[in-house]
Amino acid sequence: MDRRILRQWLKAGYIDQNALYPTEAGTPQGGVISPVLANLTLDGLEAVIATLPHRGTKRQAKLHLIRFADDYVITGNSRELLEEDIAPGVEEFLDARGLEVSPEKTRITNLEEGFDFLGQNIRRYKGKLLITPSKQSVKELLGKMRTIITSNPTAPAEHLILQLNPLLRGWVNYHRHVVSKNTFQKIDHATFQTLWRWAKRRHRAKSSHWVKNRYFGQLWRFHAKVKDNNGNHKTIYLYRATDVPIRRHIKIQARANPYHPAWEHYFEQRIQTKMALHLQSKPRLLYLWQAQNGICPVCQEKLLEDADWEQHHILPRVKGGADTLDNLVLLHPTCHHQIHSPGSISSIAASCQRAFAAA
């Protein structure tokens, strides 16, 4: 890219709570700019590897590059190929960009031994390649969970659930595309054991039967009763890793460009397939989403799977509207609030009616 633009970009500073802070050196830890810069810098590495002189054809050499930001794996059919043919070319490519390979983080290994990459272990077992959550990743997760539980010996159960659920959900969703079923079972078992010890220590004078009924119930699932905004009691449960189904990720074609009209149909099909899996247990929502082509009729923006949707009655129930599919439309929460706010524009409601009239 244009180095002048890059230099200005890096020194432009950042704004937080209406205050401007300088960026004179380095990049913030965990910020998005670091992987962006890595992608800009390392783009072209795959093409260089393909053109390096090596033994046999690319297909015979089994040369491939897998990269995520500044972490990458290069495959080859022999140690000699990687050490003598590929490694010098990669080092030359990096040197021209002011980078160098980290000896501590770089090694050449056989797939029979396996290696860890981005928190997952890649290893061949009896000729079959399996990708599983790495032992280090599992150890770190359980360590964080045990720290949360043991550091809250007298906290209410709902506080533990609210702290543990985001941690569990994020980790499980990251690993749900690989061979993780057995690991998920181990995570749930280890979590149960830690919570059982926490509950027994908290109520030393109570019997195991009382502790089980108080915190785990008939289903042996850690839970707590809380009050909602209306003062009604509801039960919240601890997230279970084994409740998440294992689904293989379908790789995006390397040539696909989401900003090119020629690939629009391809990405629409991917979204349709993903949403059908996401909503397979909610046929009503899936029908409404498909009838609206995945678009909110108020703001005309996409209804994404990671957002909370709300169902709006086109003809209000107080006016005789039915709770049927032909009288419902999916909206973003903010759009739904906009419709029901005082002085809302009547054209918004009309757009909801047109959404199903067209469908």
Side-chain angles (χ1 to χ4, degrees):
M1 66 177 296
D2 189 315
R3 293 191 177 185
R4 181 181 64 84
I5 296 295
L6 176 59
R7 190 177 299 108
Q8 292 176 343
W9 181 27
L10 290 175
K11 295 185 177 182
Y14 68 94
I15 295 177
D16 183 32
Q17 296 183 353
N18 297 321
L20 176 64
Y21 297 87
T23 49
E24 297 174 352
T27 58
Q29 181 69 27
V32 296
I33 191 173
S34 181
V36 168
L37 291 174
N39 283 326
L40 290 171
T41 306
L42 296 181
D43 273 349
L45 178 58
E46 186 172 13
V48 168
I49 292 174
T51 57
L52 288 174
H54 53 267
R55 301 164 176 80
T57 64
K58 180 182 177 181
R59 185 179 183 86
Q60 293 172 336
K62 298 181 180 179
L63 274 176
H64 298 283
L65 170 71
I66 303 95
R67 180 167 66 85
F68 182 84
D70 59 344
D71 294 315
Y72 61 85
V73 173
I74 301 175
T75 64
N77 65 353
S78 68
R79 177 180 290 271
E80 293 75 17
L81 168 69
L82 296 175
E83 285 183 343
E84 300 173 12
D85 297 345
I86 305 303
V90 172
E91 291 175 1
E92 182 180 350
F93 175 88
L94 296 177
D95 184 63
R97 289 155 176 78
L99 303 174
E100 60 182 17
V101 176
S102 172
E104 297 81 12
K105 298 180 180 179
T106 305
R107 66 189 182 101
I108 298 178
T109 184
N110 194 294
L111 272 178
E112 303 297 333
E113 301 174 12
F115 62 93
D116 291 348
F117 182 62
L118 301 178
Q120 297 177 342
N121 181 262
I122 303 169
R123 185 176 176 184
R124 182 184 290 145
Y125 298 85
K126 298 180 180 180
K128 186 174 183 179
L129 182 67
L130 297 179
I131 304 176
T132 59
S134 68
K135 292 182 179 179
Q136 182 62 30
S137 179
V138 174
K139 182 179 179 181
E140 290 177 358
L141 172 70
L142 293 179
K144 292 178 181 177
M145 292 175 56
R146 285 166 181 152
T147 299
I148 292 174
I149 295 171
T150 56
S151 61
N152 291 276
T154 59
E158 59 265 26
H159 287 189
L160 285 182
I161 293 174
L162 293 176
Q163 291 183 69
L164 292 173
N165 276 356
L167 180 64
L168 271 169
R169 185 181 294 108
W171 193 90
V172 169
N173 285 337
Y174 178 79
H175 291 285
R176 66 192 176 105
H177 299 297
V178 297
V179 184
S180 305
K181 184 177 180 179
N182 291 338
T183 304
F184 287 176
Q185 292 175 346
K186 293 177 182 178
I187 294 292
D188 284 343
H189 181 65
T191 304
F192 166 78
Q193 288 183 318
T194 307
L195 287 171
W196 179 260
R197 289 193 294 268
W198 171 86
K200 290 287 289 182
R201 283 196 301 267
R202 182 180 176 127
H203 303 281
R204 299 178 186 273
K206 300 294 185 179
S207 67
S208 297
H209 182 72
W210 185 93
V211 171
K212 181 252 185 184
N213 290 336
R214 173 69 173 79
Y215 292 104
F216 297 92
Q218 296 297 324
L219 299 178
W220 284 97
R221 184 171 182 179
F222 191 71
H223 65 272
K225 292 184 177 181
V226 297
K227 286 185 178 181
D228 58 18
N229 296 331
N230 298 323
N232 299 320
H233 286 277
K234 68 174 184 178
T235 304
I236 59 174
Y237 293 91
L238 181 70
Y239 192 83
R240 287 196 304 196
T242 49
D243 287 343
V244 178
I246 305 298
R247 292 199 182 100
R248 298 291 175 256
H249 172 70
I250 302 175
K251 185 180 178 298
I252 297 176
Q253 294 185 29
R255 298 179 294 108
N257 185 344
Y259 302 103
H260 197 288
W263 291 96
E264 184 175 358
H265 180 64
Y266 170 76
F267 282 100
E268 286 179 351
Q269 285 184 320
R270 284 185 63 88
I271 293 174
Q272 288 278 357
T273 302
K274 188 175 182 181
M275 198 61 68
L277 289 172
H278 180 65
L279 298 176
Q280 64 179 358
S281 61
K282 303 173 183 177
R284 284 170 62 93
L285 290 183
L286 179 59
Y287 173 82
L288 292 172
W289 185 86
Q290 291 175 335
Q292 297 172 210
N293 294 320
I295 301 295
C296 173
V298 175
C299 63
Q300 298 300 312
E301 297 291 336
K302 291 185 179 296
L303 293 162
L304 302 176
E305 66 170 320
D306 56 352
D308 293 327
W309 306 336
E310 294 184 2
Q311 299 180 47
H312 170 69
H313 290 81
I314 300 174
L315 180 63
R317 283 177 292 181
V318 295
K319 296 182 179 180
D323 193 28
T324 54
L325 291 173
D326 58 353
N327 192 45
L328 289 172
V329 64
L330 290 179
L331 303 175
H332 293 120
T334 52
C335 297
H336 197 193
H337 177 74
Q338 185 180 1
I339 288 180
H340 289 286
S341 62
S344 62
I345 303 172
S346 58
S347 60
I348 296 178
S351 64
C352 295
Q353 293 178 339
R354 289 195 299 270
F356 262 85

